[in-house]
Amino acid sequence: MNSRRLISSGSWLVRKLCTATSEKAKIKAAVAAASPMRNRLYPRLSALAATGGTVSEALNDFIMEGKKIRKDELGRCVKELRKYRRYQHALDIMDWMERRNLHLSHVDHAIRLDLIAKTKGIDAAENYLSALPPSAKNQLTYGALLNCYCNNLMKDKASSLFQKMDELRFTNNTLPFNNLMCLYMRLGQPEKVPELVDELKLRNIPRCRFTYVVWMQSYANLNDIEGVERVLEELAQDSEDKCTWTTYNNLAAIYVKAGLFEKAEACLKKLEKDMMPRQREAYHFLISLYAGTSNLAEVHRVWEALKRAFSTVTNTSYLVMVQALVKLKDLEGLKKCFEEWESSCSAYDIRLATSTIRGYLSGDLIEEAELVLGNAMKRSKGPFHKVRELFMVYFLEKCQFDLALQHVEAVVSEMGDWRPAPETITAFFDYFMKERDVDAAEEFCRILKSKNGLDSNAYHLLLKTYVAAGKVAPDMRRRLEVDGIQLSQELQDLLVNVCRE
C-alpha cells in the first residue's frame, strides 16, 4: 500500500521535525545612521522588533543625541504600537515615562492598565488598579479593567465590576454596557443584549452607533430578522447621523448570512448611492458582500470601479477580489486577476498565491496550481506550509497518498516547527480510515507528538481509524493517560472497542 512510505520515512520525519529549526531572518539595518529617519522617534521604536534593542535604550539614545522628546509624541508612539499589537514595547514606553516622572493622565493610566493585562495578565492589571491613587481610580481605569474582563470572557468578574462601577456612578454612558453586550455575544448569549438596551432606555442614556450595531447583530444571531429591522427603524428615528456606512454594511452582511439576497443587494445599492466613502475598504466590503449573494457581475463591476477610483491597486484589494472569485468559482476571472497582479506587484504576497491555488485545486486545475506554487517559491520567502497543506488535502481526497507525502516531506525540510492545521489532520485520518491503515495512522501520530500536536482530537481520529480497521490496542487507555488526554464520553465509547482483548 502507498501509505507504507509514511512508515518507512517516518523516523526520518520525526528526527527532522525535532531537530530542524527555521532559518533566522536576516535583520536589515532598519535605521541607518545616515537616514533622515534618525531624527524621528517612532521609526526607531518601530525598528526594535528587528534590531532587538530595548525601548529605554532607544529613548535614552535619542535624548543623548541632543533631541527632545515631547509627551504627546510618546503618546502617538504608544498609539501606533498598540495598533500593530506591539503591546510590550508600548508598555515599555509608559514605564519609561513613569521613571522620568512624566505626568500620566487618567487616560494614560487606563491605556497602561490595558497594556499590562495584555502582556502580564489580568492579575497584574488588577494589582495596578489597586495601587493607583484614589483620584486615578475613576471611570476610565475601571472601564479599562471591565474591557479586559470582557475580552477574556470573565463573565463573573465583569458582572461584579460593572455592579461596583454602577454604585460609583461610572455607568452613565454606553461604553460599559457595550462591553457587556460584546461579552454576551461572544459567550453565545445574544438574548441578553436587548435586556441591556432596555436598561439604557430606562436610564435615559443615549445609544451610540456601536450599540445599535451590536443590538442588530444580537437579533441576527437569534434568527430574528424582523427584530433587526425594528432596530434599524428605531435607529433612523433616533438620529440620521447614526445611520452610517458601517450600519448598512453590517445590515447587508446580516441579510447575506440569512440568505436574503434581494434585501442584501438593495442595501448595498443604497450604500453605494448615498453613503459610499472614498476608501478602499468600502469597495472591499462591496466586493465581498456581492460575492456572498453570488452576484458575479456586480463583483466585477465594483472591481472595475475600484480600479478607476484609485491610481494604484494594493495587494489587499487584489486579495479581496481573488477570494471573491474563488468563492464564486470564476476560474477564468481568477486566472486573469492573479496574472494581472503577479505581473505588476512590487511586493509578492504569499496570501494571494495561496488563495489562487485554493481556487485552482477546487476546479482540479492541478498544473496551474503547481505553476503558481513554483513561481511563488522563486519570488517569496514563504512560509509555504499553508499552501502545501492545500495540496496535501487535495491529494488525500484523490487517494494519491504518495503525492501528499511529498508535500509533507517538503514542509519538514523547509521548517522545523510545522504543526498541521486541524483540517489537514482530519484529511490524513479520513484517508487512513478509508484505507483501514492503522500503521500509517500511528506513524502520523508520532509526527504530531514530536511537535506537541497530538491532542484529544487527533486521538479521537486515531481511535476511529482502529475501529474502521477492526483492530485493537489494549494499551490505548494508558497512552491517553500518559499524554494527559481528558476522556470525553465519545472517547470512552471508542475505547471500549479499541481496548478489548
Side-chain angles (χ1 to χ4, degrees), residues 195-441:
E195 296 174 8
L196 288 169
V197 175
D198 289 340
E199 185 65 25
L200 283 172
K201 293 178 180 179
L202 187 64
R203 300 185 186 201
N204 292 319
I205 299 175
R207 278 80 67 200
C208 67
R209 297 172 184 174
F210 185 75
T211 304
Y212 279 108
V213 168
V214 180
W215 190 14
M216 289 170 60
Q217 190 60 56
S218 72
Y219 280 118
N221 286 16
L222 293 168
N223 298 316
D224 184 357
I225 298 301
E226 290 183 359
V228 172
E229 293 172 341
R230 285 197 305 273
V231 175
L232 183 65
E233 291 175 6
E234 186 167 330
L235 171 57
Q237 294 172 3
D238 181 354
S239 170
E240 289 187 2
D241 293 338
K242 294 179 183 177
C243 290
T244 65
W245 161 267
T246 303
T247 306
Y248 280 92
N249 172 58
N250 279 278
L251 178 60
I254 288 170
Y255 284 145
V256 168
K257 187 175 181 180
L260 302 172
F261 293 165
E262 289 187 8
K263 286 191 172 186
E265 293 197 0
C267 193
L268 294 174
K269 292 296 183 184
K270 178 177 177 61
L271 275 174
E272 200 169 357
K273 180 182 177 182
D274 300 335
M275 303 179 179
M276 188 72 169
R278 196 180 185 282
Q279 298 173 358
R280 298 177 195 272
E281 290 76 11
Y283 290 89
H284 297 170
F285 281 124
L286 287 175
I287 289 170
S288 297
L289 289 170
Y290 274 124
T293 67
S294 301
N295 195 328
L296 180 60
E298 286 297 284
V299 166
H300 282 290
R301 181 187 63 78
V302 176
W303 174 243
E304 293 302 322
L306 183 154
K307 292 196 286 185
R308 289 194 302 269
F310 300 96
S311 57
T312 59
V313 183
T314 64
N315 282 359
T316 300
S317 294
Y318 272 109
L319 179 61
V320 170
M321 184 59 178
V322 161
Q323 290 172 339
L325 296 173
V326 170
K327 182 180 181 66
L328 297 176
K329 300 187 183 303
D330 179 12
L331 300 184
E332 183 178 343
L334 172 63
K335 185 174 187 293
K336 179 181 177 182
C337 183
F338 180 75
E339 290 178 351
E340 178 184 295
W341 167 77
E342 194 176 39
S343 65
S344 61
C345 68
S346 57
Y348 199 90
D349 191 333
I350 190 63
R351 296 176 302 167
L352 272 147
T354 302
S355 293
T356 300
I357 287 172
R358 179 180 287 106
Y360 283 159
L361 292 178
S362 70
D364 289 331
L365 301 178
I366 185 63
E367 292 182 5
E368 288 84 347
E370 290 175 336
L371 181 61
V372 172
L373 175 59
N375 289 336
M377 295 182 69
K378 293 175 184 176
R379 300 182 61 176
S380 170
K381 293 182 179 180
F384 301 106
H385 63 283
K386 289 184 179 180
V387 68
R388 287 196 180 278
E389 287 188 44
L390 293 177
F391 281 98
M392 293 177 204
V393 172
Y394 175 81
F395 286 128
L396 288 168
E397 290 175 348
K398 300 294 183 181
C399 295
Q400 295 175 299
F401 185 82
D402 284 351
L403 296 178
L405 187 57
Q406 287 178 16
H407 285 278
V408 174
E409 294 170 350
V411 170
V412 171
S413 296
E414 292 165 3
M415 58 186 296
D417 57 350
W418 173 60
R419 290 183 64 178
E423 55 268 26
T424 305
I425 293 173
T426 299
F428 270 100
F429 279 105
D430 284 346
Y431 175 82
F432 299 144
M433 280 184 260
K434 187 186 301 181
E435 296 294 323
R436 300 179 180 181
D437 195 338
V438 167
D439 293 336

Side-chain angles (χ1 to χ4, degrees), residues 36-52:
M37 290 292 190
R38 292 291 296 175
N39 295 318
R40 294 174 53 202
L41 182 58
Y42 178 72
R44 292 199 192 190
L45 296 173
S46 179
L48 293 178
T51 62

